[in-house]
Coordinates of all heavy atoms in Angstrom, one line a residue:
E1 N 14.5 -4.6 2.5 CA 13.3 -4.5 3.5 C 12.7 -3.3 3.4 O 13.4 -2.2 3.5 CB 13.9 -4.7 4.9 CG 12.8 -4.7 6.1 CD 13.4 -5.1 7.4 OE1 13.6 -6.2 7.8 OE2 13.8 -4.0 8.1
I2 N 11.4 -3.2 3.4 CA 10.6 -2.0 3.5 C 9.7 -2.1 4.7 O 9.0 -3.1 4.9 CB 9.7 -1.9 2.3 CG1 10.6 -1.7 1.0 CG2 8.9 -0.5 2.4 CD1 9.8 -1.7 -0.3
K3 N 9.8 -1.2 5.6 CA 9.1 -1.2 6.9 C 8.1 0.1 6.9 O 8.6 1.2 6.7 CB 10.0 -1.2 7.9 CG 9.3 -1.5 9.4 CD 10.5 -1.4 10.5 CE 11.4 -2.6 10.6 NZ 12.1 -2.5 11.8
Y4 N 6.9 -0.1 7.3 CA 6.0 0.9 7.5 C 5.7 0.9 9.0 O 5.1 0.0 9.5 CB 4.8 0.8 6.8 CG 3.8 1.9 7.0 CD1 4.0 3.3 6.6 CD2 2.5 1.6 7.7 CE1 3.0 4.4 6.9 CE2 1.7 2.7 8.0 CZ 1.9 4.0 7.6 OH 1.1 5.0 7.9
K5 N 6.1 2.0 9.8 CA 5.9 2.0 11.3 C 6.7 0.7 11.8 O 7.9 0.6 11.6 CB 4.5 2.1 11.7 CG 3.8 3.4 11.2 CD 2.4 3.6 11.8 CE 2.0 5.0 11.3 NZ 0.5 5.2 11.8
D6 N 6.0 -0.2 12.3 CA 6.7 -1.5 12.9 C 6.4 -2.7 12.0 O 6.8 -3.8 12.4 CB 6.2 -1.7 14.3 CG 6.8 -0.6 15.2 OD1 7.9 -0.1 15.0 OD2 6.0 -0.3 16.2
E7 N 5.7 -2.5 10.8 CA 5.4 -3.7 9.9 C 6.3 -3.8 8.9 O 6.6 -2.8 8.1 CB 3.9 -3.5 9.5 CG 2.9 -3.4 10.6 CD 1.5 -3.2 10.1 OE1 1.1 -4.0 9.1 OE2 0.8 -2.3 10.6
I8 N 6.7 -4.9 8.6 CA 7.6 -5.2 7.5 C 6.8 -5.6 6.1 O 6.4 -6.7 6.0 CB 8.7 -6.4 7.6 CG1 9.4 -5.9 8.8 CG2 9.5 -6.6 6.5 CD1 10.5 -7.1 9.2
I9 N 6.4 -4.6 5.4 CA 5.5 -4.8 4.3 C 6.1 -5.5 3.1 O 5.3 -6.0 2.4 CB 4.8 -3.4 3.9 CG1 5.8 -2.4 3.3 CG2 4.0 -2.7 5.0 CD1 5.3 -1.2 2.6
S10 N 7.4 -5.5 3.1 CA 8.1 -6.1 1.9 C 7.9 -7.6 2.0 O 8.0 -8.4 1.0 CB 9.5 -5.8 1.8 OG 10.1 -5.9 3.1
S11 N 7.4 -8.2 3.1 CA 7.1 -9.6 3.1 C 5.7 -9.9 3.0 O 5.3 -11.1 3.1 CB 7.7 -10.1 4.5 OG 7.0 -9.5 5.6
Y12 N 4.8 -9.0 2.9 CA 3.4 -9.2 2.7 C 3.1 -10.0 1.4 O 3.7 -9.6 0.3 CB 2.6 -7.9 2.7 CG 2.4 -7.2 4.1 CD1 3.0 -7.7 5.2 CD2 1.7 -6.0 4.1 CE1 2.7 -7.1 6.4 CE2 1.4 -5.4 5.2 CZ 2.0 -5.8 6.6 OH 1.8 -5.4 7.7
K13 N 2.0 -10.8 1.5 CA 1.5 -11.3 0.3 C 0.4 -10.3 -0.3 O 0.2 -9.3 0.3 CB 0.8 -12.6 0.6 CG 1.6 -13.7 1.3 CD 2.8 -14.1 0.3 CE 3.6 -15.2 1.0 NZ 4.8 -15.4 0.1
E14 N -0.1 -10.7 -1.5 CA -0.8 -9.7 -2.2 C -2.1 -9.2 -1.4 O -2.4 -8.1 -1.3 CB -1.3 -10.3 -3.6 CG -2.0 -9.4 -4.4 CD -1.3 -8.1 -4.7 OE1 -0.1 -8.0 -5.0 OE2 -1.9 -7.0 -4.7
E15 N -2.7 -10.2 -0.7 CA -3.9 -9.8 0.0 C -3.7 -8.7 1.2 O -4.4 -7.8 1.3 CB -4.6 -11.0 0.6 CG -6.0 -10.8 1.2 CD -6.7 -12.1 1.8 OE1 -6.2 -13.1 1.5 OE2 -7.6 -11.8 2.6
A16 N -2.5 -9.0 1.8 CA -2.2 -8.1 3.0 C -1.7 -6.7 2.3 O -2.0 -5.8 2.9 CB -1.0 -8.7 3.8
L17 N -1.1 -6.8 1.1 CA -0.8 -5.5 0.6 C -1.8 -4.8 0.2 O -1.9 -3.5 0.2 CB 0.2 -5.8 -0.7 CG 1.7 -6.0 -0.5 CD1 2.3 -6.5 -1.7 CD2 2.4 -4.9 0.2
T18 N -2.9 -5.5 -0.4 CA -4.2 -4.7 -0.6 C -4.7 -4.0 0.4 O -5.1 -2.8 0.3 CB -5.2 -5.6 -1.4 OG1 -4.6 -6.2 -2.6 CG2 -6.4 -5.0 -1.8
K19 N -4.8 -4.7 1.6 CA -5.5 -4.1 2.8 C -4.5 -2.9 3.3 O -5.1 -1.9 3.7 CB -5.5 -5.3 3.9 CG -6.6 -6.2 3.6 CD -6.6 -7.2 4.8 CE -7.7 -8.3 4.5 NZ -7.7 -9.4 5.5
F20 N -3.3 -3.1 3.1 CA -2.3 -2.1 3.5 C -2.5 -0.8 2.7 O -2.7 0.4 3.2 CB -0.9 -2.6 3.4 CG 0.2 -1.3 3.5 CD1 0.4 -0.8 4.6 CD2 0.9 -1.0 2.3 CE1 1.4 0.2 4.7 CE2 1.8 0.0 2.3 CZ 2.0 0.5 3.5
R21 N -2.7 -1.0 1.4 CA -2.9 0.3 0.5 C -4.1 0.9 0.9 O -4.3 2.1 0.8 CB -2.8 -0.1 -0.9 CG -1.4 -0.6 -1.4 CD -1.3 -0.7 -3.0 NE -2.3 -1.8 -3.5 CZ -2.0 -3.0 -3.7 NH1 -0.7 -3.4 -3.5 NH2 -2.9 -3.8 -4.2
R22 N -5.2 0.0 1.0 CA -6.6 0.6 1.2 C -6.6 1.4 2.6 O -7.3 2.4 2.7 CB -7.6 -0.5 1.3 CG -9.0 -0.1 1.4 CD -9.9 -1.3 1.5 NE -9.8 -2.0 0.2 CZ -10.0 -3.3 0.1 NH1 -10.4 -4.2 1.1 NH2 -10.2 -3.9 -1.1
K23 N -5.9 0.8 3.6 CA -6.0 1.5 4.9 C -5.2 2.7 5.1 O -5.6 3.7 5.7 CB -5.4 0.4 5.9 CG -5.7 0.9 7.4 CD -5.3 -0.2 8.4 CE -5.6 0.1 9.8 NZ -5.2 -1.0 10.7
Y24 N -4.0 2.7 4.5 CA -3.0 3.9 4.7 C -2.7 4.8 3.5 O -2.3 5.9 3.8 CB -1.8 3.4 5.2 CG -1.9 2.5 6.5 CD1 -1.7 1.2 6.6 CD2 -2.0 3.1 7.8 CE1 -1.7 0.5 7.7 CE2 -2.2 2.5 8.9 CZ -2.0 1.1 8.9 OH -2.0 0.4 10.1
L25 N -2.9 4.3 2.4 CA -2.3 5.2 1.2 C -3.4 5.8 0.3 O -4.5 5.2 0.2 CB -1.4 4.2 0.3 CG -0.4 3.3 1.2 CD1 0.5 2.6 0.2 CD2 0.5 4.3 2.1
G26 N -2.9 6.8 -0.4 CA -3.7 7.4 -1.4 C -2.8 7.6 -2.7 O -1.6 7.6 -2.5
F27 N -3.4 7.6 -4.0 CA -2.6 7.6 -5.2 C -3.1 8.7 -6.1 O -4.4 8.7 -6.3 CB -2.7 6.2 -5.9 CG -1.9 5.1 -5.1 CD1 -2.7 4.3 -4.2 CD2 -0.7 4.9 -5.3 CE1 -2.0 3.3 -3.5 CE2 0.1 3.9 -4.6 CZ -0.7 3.1 -3.7
I28 N -2.2 9.4 -6.8 CA -2.6 10.3 -7.8 C -1.7 10.1 -8.9 O -0.4 10.0 -8.8 CB -2.6 11.8 -7.4 CG1 -3.5 12.1 -6.1 CG2 -2.9 12.7 -8.5 CD1 -3.2 13.4 -5.4
F29 N -2.3 9.8 -10.1 CA -1.5 9.4 -11.2 C -1.7 10.5 -12.5 O -2.5 11.4 -12.1 CB -1.9 8.2 -11.8 CG -1.6 6.9 -11.0 CD1 -2.8 6.4 -10.2 CD2 -0.5 6.5 -10.7 CE1 -2.6 5.4 -9.3 CE2 -0.3 5.4 -9.9 CZ -1.4 5.0 -9.1
Q30 N -0.9 10.5 -13.4 CA -1.0 11.5 -14.5 C -2.2 11.2 -15.3 O -2.9 12.2 -15.6 CB 0.2 11.3 -15.4 CG 0.4 12.3 -16.6 CD 1.6 12.2 -17.3 OE1 2.6 11.7 -16.9 NE2 1.6 12.7 -18.5
Q31 N -2.7 10.0 -15.3 CA -4.1 9.8 -15.9 C -5.0 9.7 -14.7 O -4.6 9.3 -13.7 CB -4.1 8.2 -16.5 CG -3.3 8.0 -17.8 CD -1.8 7.9 -17.3 OE1 -1.3 7.4 -16.3 NE2 -0.9 8.2 -18.4
Y32 N -6.1 10.4 -14.8 CA -7.0 10.8 -13.8 C -7.8 9.5 -13.3 O -8.3 9.5 -12.1 CB -8.0 11.8 -14.2 CG -7.3 13.0 -15.0 CD1 -7.8 13.3 -16.3 CD2 -6.3 13.6 -14.4 CE1 -7.0 14.3 -17.0 CE2 -5.6 14.6 -15.1 CZ -6.0 15.0 -16.3 OH -5.3 16.0 -17.0
N33 N -8.1 8.4 -14.2 CA -8.8 7.3 -13.8 C -10.1 7.5 -13.0 O -10.4 6.8 -12.1 CB -7.9 6.4 -12.9 CG -6.5 6.0 -13.5 OD1 -6.6 5.7 -14.7 ND2 -5.4 6.1 -12.8
L34 N -10.9 8.4 -13.5 CA -12.1 8.6 -13.0 C -13.2 7.7 -13.6 O -13.0 7.3 -14.7 CB -12.5 10.1 -13.2 CG -11.5 11.2 -12.6 CD1 -12.1 12.6 -13.0 CD2 -11.5 11.1 -11.0

C-alpha cells in the first residue's frame, strides 16, 4: 500500500494517477526533456 495523506494511491487507475501527478508532483530527470 502507498498512501498520500489520506488517499491510497496504489489502488488508483491510470487516469486517477495522472491527475494525482499533475496536481501534487514535480519531476526532474537526468535528461532535461525540454
